[in-house]
Amino acid sequence: MTMAATATRSAISPRAAVLAYLAVSGIVLLLMMLLGLTMRLAQAQWINVQPDFFYVVMTMHGAGMVGIAGLSGAAVMWHFVRRHVPVSTAIFLTNLVFFLIGAVLILGAGFIGGFGAGWTFLFPLPAHSGSLWSPNAAASYLVGLMVIGVGFLLLHLDIARGILSVYGGLGAALGVKQAFGLAPEKDGPPPAVTASTMVLIVNILGILFGAAVLVVSLVNLYVPSFTFSALVAKNMIYFFGHVFINATIYMAVIAVYEILPVYTHRKWKTNWAFYLAWVLSTVFVLTVYTHHLLMDFAMPTWALVAGQLISWLSGLPVLLVTAFGTLTIVYRSGLKWNPAAALVFLGVAGWSIGVIPAIADGTIAVNSVMHNTQWVPGHFHTYLLLGMIAMVIGFMTYLTNPQPRYGFAWLGFWLYLGGGIIFVLAFLLAGSESVPRRYAVHVAKWLPYDRMGSVGAALAITGVLILVARFFAGMRAAAYAEDPT
Amino acid sequence: MTRGFFALLGLVLAAGIAALYWGTDGFRVVTSEGARELAVERSPRAVPDVALFDQNGHAFTLADYRGHTVLVDFIYTRCPTICSVNGDDFQRVLTRLQKNTGDRKIDLLSISFDPANDGLPALQLYGDRFGAEAPRWRIAVPADRHGLAALLKTFGVVVIPDGWGGFVHNSAVYLVDAQGRLVRILDPDASEQLAVATERVAAQ
Amino acid sequence: MNTRFMSSRLVAATGLWAILWFAPLRLALERDMAVHMIVQLPLLACVGYLLAVALRRHEPHWIAQGDWLGIPGLLLVIFATSFWMLPRMLDAALADPLIDLVKFLSLPLLVGLPLGLSWRRMPLLGRAFVWANFIPKLGAIGGLYLAAPTRLCAYYRLDQQAVAGWALIAVAVALGATWFVVVFVGWPAADGEAAQTCRAPQEAA
Ligand code: HEM
């Protein structure tokens, strides 16, 4: 079933295009981490940052990180799904160009226009800046998001087109029949196709909702007499935001399915449980956003109850089969650990551990206490920084064949892991002491956590810097190499 | 990319943007209400000299208001919603203007567009409800259909049946200056702005 | 495509146009905001689409060549539809029969016709992209109509505006659901004629 990419006239090879994605992601990742460090240092009162600038930094950090999570996730997904279905390199590159244009608009909105409404641009906040930013700055931010959305939409639709041309329907590509024992497991789609299909379904829907709410926000910005129900808008934003950020991990996990088999010399097992898990998670992810609304008493009770149950369950199926699959594929495989394998392995671990506080957070009783504490950044930084990003860096390391400078890479790995743990623990500890999130200025009692977080962040950034630098050093050679097998 | 693509694309872009620019008065308005406000603000228009009679049965014409600043609104006395809100707003503006401008010449004029139902008794009743006293605040109805049509056209008032025997119409307050020109269209809900704009025009 | 076919399409197009322009029907369709937007305007676009089908063979060379992947044509459609979405233009068409005539000419010629010519030049990806943008925007506009506290059109009541809002949302949801089901269950015409699936709902809308 493997086939070459459709002939495109782009002069850039598919492999070089993937490397370009990762190069952009690596640089932006480092810059955004520095912004994150800036926030932590400011909260720790080691540096002095004006509160309104803090919120600009926070908005840029959030938008930038979510952006590169999507971008690098897309690189992983595209790289591996290309082995099975025809996709267009030109469209893949178009998305990168749109991303860069959008990023410029967003950075301009923040650092020139002073836009600081948070990356989720909750309606109608962008229009109510208290004169901190102009409608034009808000518009620049919203249009920037829209441009990025257009690029991602094109890319997703193109991959969907490719998958449909081979599998006929998304149901078949997801492995629905195999999930329910209606077709032999051995005829099921490869894991990269199953995961990509899930990502396409949820993300295309999410982007459509996001686009609608962006249009509404933009119209409201310039014609204030056009209003909109703030609750509906919030639902839509969270639907879009939650789905998009969730999907990044489902893209990145493809790296686990593809890279661990290379180093363990075993096949990733795709049985009925694997397919069932992906089918279930597809349905769950589409509904999990309700958990963001647990604090909205305007929602009917049934929605609250459903939201609670679903947020307990949403990511679990895929997480379970992945964690289980990871353990079985590694167990007694005689795997000789290298940084790439260690990073994707860490990714699965970080994801698993990060979900535990998420589940606690999803429980209403805890939610009304915790939802606005640093417990929340604690949980999502665990599974994003130590889960999703770990898989991506693992993929970067895998592509740029790590052999020559292993020692250096190991140093980076341990700094990143150690610093990362200290950094997220600081958030979680502070959260359980009810330290609120999104506060620019912290009281003296909270400072120890902030300082612990700052130290951890600095260590983690150093580690990532080493790993990314290694990637850049190996990039040229990687453009002409083959994937390690 | 084929030959002629960019030419065609450029043509469509230029024509499309020009059309939207024109259709929104330079990307400033999307509703006819907004367009009307903007048009009046840019070029004030002379109001026609229409004959009316007020709640006391006095006949008068709009030309009688020369030298006075007038706030005009359009009503029908059976109106259960906007018109009574307008009446309240007018009352508030009146109080405020009396306080601030003493007897500088600012008058209020509520014109009914429903001559079939709004005879003298109806006008009187409406006037009493809000404490309107002519000539400071007249509740009036045009003397004939042509006068009414001319007024609605100049002020840009659109009246449509509401399906319950009443009417729906754009609610706004119209500011006519001492030279008898319609100079501003204002939002009746923003009584603060309304008063400020009126005082500014009256002071000219 | 023989002449009989061509002339039958032409007759259908002009006939539909004439019926729509026929005063009692025209006024009846324009009396309600939702009907105006969801029945009359799309039917006018359909007139142009029929024209396109009839006249395809005679399309000038420079258009056929310059309309790369159907992009300029689709852009024209987007501009023209946006123009007639401006509430004040709906008002103007109601207030002034001359503007209504402009509407009656521009919707067939600047929306339906270019759509009929350009759509078949669009690759599948482009069509999917157009749908993916069209559907949420329809819903967003419906939402705006629904939530607007004031009347956007001087000639329509607030309750009519709300009905129009709901109707737009309903159309968006219906289109989105159709799209989703088609894609999920399978591309009915995976063997080459996938274009059909895209065109069918287009004509219905
Ligand atoms: C060393 C790396 C990082 C540091 C130092 C850092 C630091 C921070 C800090 C201090 C906050 C604000 C917490 C508060 O509410 O008080 C924050 C928020 C956030 N971070 Fe990070 N972060 C890092 C990595 C990441 C990564 C890898 C991602 C995603 C891939 C990410 C995504 C976010 C998001 C989405 C927010 C929420 C912003 C908001 O509340 O609007 N961060 N980060």
Side-chain angles (χ1 to χ4, degrees):
Chain A
M1 195 122 43
T2 53
M3 62 179 67
T6 38
T8 56
R9 261 168 291 155
S10 107
I12 300 175
S13 77
R15 212 181 154 76
V18 170
L19 292 169
Y21 264 61
L22 294 174
V24 171
S25 303
I27 292 173
V28 179
L29 174 68
L30 280 170
L31 290 178
M32 293 300 129
M33 282 180 152
L34 289 176
L35 289 187
L37 180 62
T38 309
M39 281 188 283
R40 291 263 66 179
L41 290 174
Q43 287 171 335
Q45 295 179 12
W46 274 338
I47 60 171
N48 196 1
V49 169
Q50 294 301 313
D52 45 349
F53 188 65
F54 179 93
Y55 289 109
V56 171
V57 169
M58 190 186 88
T59 303
M60 294 299 113
H61 172 80
M65 282 300 192
V66 173
I68 61 106
L71 193 74
S72 55
V76 175
M77 170 167 81
W78 193 82
H79 180 81
F80 290 115
V81 85
R82 236 188 100 244
R83 295 178 176 174
H84 311 287
V85 303
V87 286
S88 152
T89 308
I91 295 290
F92 186 60
L93 285 170
T94 305
N95 180 38
L96 183 60
V97 172
F98 276 45
F99 182 89
L100 292 173
I101 296 173
V104 169
L105 285 171
I106 288 175
L107 289 174
F111 291 115
I112 301 173
F115 180 78
W119 79 275
T120 49
F121 61 95
L122 271 186
F123 179 88
L125 194 54
H128 298 263
S129 69
S131 80
L132 279 180
W133 61 82
S134 67
N136 290 338
S140 176
Y141 181 83
L142 295 175
V143 171
L145 280 188
M146 200 123 75
V147 171
I148 292 178
V150 166
F152 272 103
L153 184 60
L154 274 173
L155 177 66
H156 281 66
L157 289 173
D158 184 57
I159 299 177
R161 187 192 51 78
I163 288 183
L164 288 173
S165 74
V166 175
Y167 292 90
L170 293 182
L174 200 56
V176 173
K177 281 194 177 146
Q178 283 75 17
F180 296 105
L182 302 174
E185 289 169 353
K186 65 174 173 40
D187 296 342
V193 170
T194 299
S196 304
T197 305
M198 186 255 208
V199 168
L200 298 178
I201 294 173
V202 300
N203 253 356
I204 290 176
L205 274 177
I207 293 175
L208 295 197
F209 275 96
V213 82
L214 278 174
V215 170
V216 169
S217 303
L218 267 173
V219 171
N220 171 259
L221 206 53
Y222 286 107
V223 192
S225 61
F226 276 101
T227 55
F228 198 70
S229 154
L231 185 63
V232 174
K234 180 177 171 183
N235 270 292
M236 287 168 65
I237 290 174
Y238 275 139
F239 180 79
F240 153 73
H242 200 161
V243 159
F244 191 83
I245 195 69
N246 258 305
T248 63
I249 199 140
Y250 302 118
M251 299 185 203
V253 79
I254 299 174
V256 179
Y257 298 157
E258 297 281 347
I259 293 175
L260 284 182
V262 171
Y263 295 126
T264 56
H265 307 291
R266 288 172 167 178
K267 216 174 153 294
W268 188 277
K269 250 180 101 78
T270 50
N271 51 16
W272 64 269
F274 176 85
Y275 294 115
L276 184 62
W278 279 93
V279 172
L280 287 180
S281 279
T282 307
V283 177
F284 289 156
V285 167
L286 287 177
T287 35
V288 73
Y289 77 105
T290 42
H291 112 251
H292 272 290
L293 299 157
L294 293 185
M295 306 264 293
D296 278 326
F297 300 105
M299 294 288 280
T301 324
W302 66 263
L304 295 183
V305 174
Q308 181 180 4
L309 280 175
I310 289 165
S311 55
W312 269 82
L313 298 171
S314 86
L316 273 188
V318 167
L319 175 59
L320 285 179
V321 289
T322 305
F324 187 74
T326 303
L327 291 179
T328 46
I329 202 170
V330 169
Y331 181 67
R332 294 213 173 153
S333 63
L335 165 67
K336 276 181 54 204
W337 287 101
N338 64 55
L343 280 162
V344 292
F345 188 84
L346 165 65
V348 176
W351 179 23
S352 313
I353 294 166
V355 162
I356 296 169
I359 289 174
D361 180 53
T363 313
I364 293 185
V366 184
N367 200 327
S368 49
V369 183
M370 297 283 200
H371 200 80
N372 274 317
T373 68
Q374 288 198 335
W375 185 263
V376 177
H379 109 68
F380 68 69
H381 279 99
T382 310
Y383 78 76
L384 289 173
L385 177 65
L386 294 177
M388 194 272 158
I389 294 293
M391 295 175 194
V392 170
I393 303 181
F395 177 59
M396 292 164 89
T397 313
Y398 161 81
L399 283 185
T400 47
N401 198 1
Q403 300 301 354
R405 281 185 289 276
Y406 258 4
F408 210 44
W410 280 122
L411 174 66
F413 175 84
W414 288 113
L415 277 173
Y416 161 60
L417 177 58
I421 290 174
I422 298 172
F423 165 70
V424 296
L425 267 183
F427 271 147
L428 289 171
L429 289 174
S432 59
E433 296 281 317
S434 290
V435 175
R437 73 183 286 203
R438 294 181 166 171
Y439 269 41
V441 181
H442 279 190
V443 299
K445 204 173 85 183
W446 304 337
L447 293 187
Y449 300 118
D450 302 331
R451 298 191 166 158
M452 165 180 173
S454 302
V455 172
L459 293 176
I461 294 172
T462 317
V464 172
L465 181 65
I466 292 173
L467 291 166
V468 170
R470 265 207 67 270
F471 167 79
F472 275 99
M475 205 169 78
R476 271 195 89 76
Y480 303 102
E482 293 279 312
D483 283 4
T485 44
Chain B
M1 258 160 255
T2 52
R3 264 189 57 206
F5 168 64
F6 283 110
L8 208 54
L9 190 73
L11 192 71
V12 169
L13 274 177
I17 292 174
L20 285 183
Y21 185 87
W22 178 81
T24 56
D25 287 353
F27 302 117
R28 293 180 61 182
V29 295
V30 295
T31 59
S32 29
E33 196 66 16
R36 194 166 65 117
E37 286 166 20
L38 191 65
V40 164
E41 214 168 305
R42 279 183 183 163
S43 56
R45 39 177 95 154
V47 300
D49 184 17
V50 171
L52 308 102
F53 63 86
D54 67 14
Q55 69 263 49
N56 299 339
H58 278 302
F60 66 99
T61 75
L62 285 186
D64 298 346
Y65 282 103
R66 285 291 150 82
H68 293 233
T69 304
V70 202
L71 281 173
V72 181
D73 74 344
F74 286 84
I75 59 155
Y76 67 108
T77 61
R78 291 175 303 142
C79 179
T81 53
I82 314 179
C83 301
S84 41
V85 177
N86 265 11
D88 281 335
D89 289 329
F90 256 27
Q91 226 171 6
R92 221 170 303 129
V93 173
L94 191 64
T95 337
R96 180 177 157 149
L97 290 179
Q98 270 162 350
K99 229 187 307 167
N100 289 5
T101 54
D103 30 66
R104 213 171 309 126
K105 295 164 179 149
I106 299 176
D107 294 322
L108 307 185
L109 173 59
S110 299
I111 302 178
S112 162
F113 49 72
D114 186 17
N117 290 297
D118 290 343
L120 204 50
L123 298 183
Q124 240 150 24
L125 221 63
Y126 186 88
D128 290 347
R129 195 154 112 219
F130 297 107
E133 280 172 25
R136 185 83 205 231
W137 181 0
R138 282 192 167 112
I139 317 295
V141 67
D144 61 71
R145 295 169 52 101
H146 297 299
L148 176 60
L151 281 179
L152 294 185
K153 186 160 188 298
T154 311
F155 284 85
V157 178
V158 177
V159 180
I160 56 173
D162 70 355
W164 303 92
F167 299 101
V168 180
H169 58 104
N170 28 13
S171 79
V173 174
Y174 304 82
L175 187 55
V176 177
D177 71 1
Q179 288 97 51
R181 298 176 313 159
L182 171 59
V183 288
R184 290 288 298 275
I185 298 179
L186 298 158
D187 182 359
D189 294 333
S191 58
E192 182 66 26
Q193 274 164 298
L194 213 160
V196 170
T198 313
E199 280 160 22
R200 195 175 313 135
V201 169
Q204 274 165 11
Chain C
M1 217 192 284
N2 57 31
T3 15
R4 277 256 309 277
F5 173 85
M6 192 177 119
S7 52
S8 70
R9 292 298 151 117
L10 276 180
V11 169
T14 25
L16 182 55
W17 191 89
I19 293 172
L20 289 171
W21 179 252
F22 176 59
L25 183 67
R26 178 164 58 97
L27 298 182
L29 291 182
E30 289 175 356
R31 189 167 308 136
D32 190 81
M33 189 169 176
V35 178
H36 191 174
M37 291 189 71
I38 296 173
V39 179
Q40 196 202 45
L41 303 185
L43 279 177
L44 282 171
C46 263
V47 169
Y49 195 88
L50 285 175
L51 271 184
V53 175
L55 299 178
R56 236 167 234 172
R57 296 274 298 284
H58 303 282
E59 185 180 13
H61 181 66
W62 60 274
I63 294 186
Q65 199 186 32
D67 190 24
W68 181 60
L69 301 183
I71 292 173
L74 224 95
L75 210 62
L76 178 59
V77 173
I78 291 170
F79 275 120
T81 44
S82 313
F83 185 82
W84 288 110
M85 288 253 211
L86 295 173
R88 67 177 291 206
M89 287 304 152
L90 281 189
D91 269 346
L94 288 165
D96 187 348
L98 203 65
I99 301 218
D100 216 14
L101 183 63
V102 174
K103 187 186 84 185
F104 263 74
L105 292 176
S106 66
L107 280 170
L109 297 181
L110 300 182
V111 177
L113 185 69
L115 199 62
L117 293 178
S118 300
W119 190 254
R120 64 211 153 102
R121 283 191 276 263
M122 288 220 124
L124 203 57
L125 176 67
R127 296 177 188 187
F129 184 71
V130 170
W131 276 116
N133 275 285
F134 177 67
I135 293 171
K137 264 147 224 176
L138 209 59
I141 291 169
L144 286 172
Y145 279 9
L146 207 55
T150 51
R151 294 180 311 135
L152 301 171
C153 291
Y155 283 93
Y156 291 119
R157 302 190 307 264
L158 202 56
D159 59 319
Q160 290 182 320
Q161 182 171 310
V163 171
W166 277 119
L168 288 177
I169 292 177
V171 173
V173 169
L175 286 176
T178 313
W179 202 51
F180 195 71
V181 168
V182 166
V183 171
F184 200 85
V185 177
W187 213 244
D191 34 50
E193 256 313 286
Q196 264 338 93
T197 17
C198 271
R199 212 174 299 138
Q202 178 69 36
E203 276 165 349

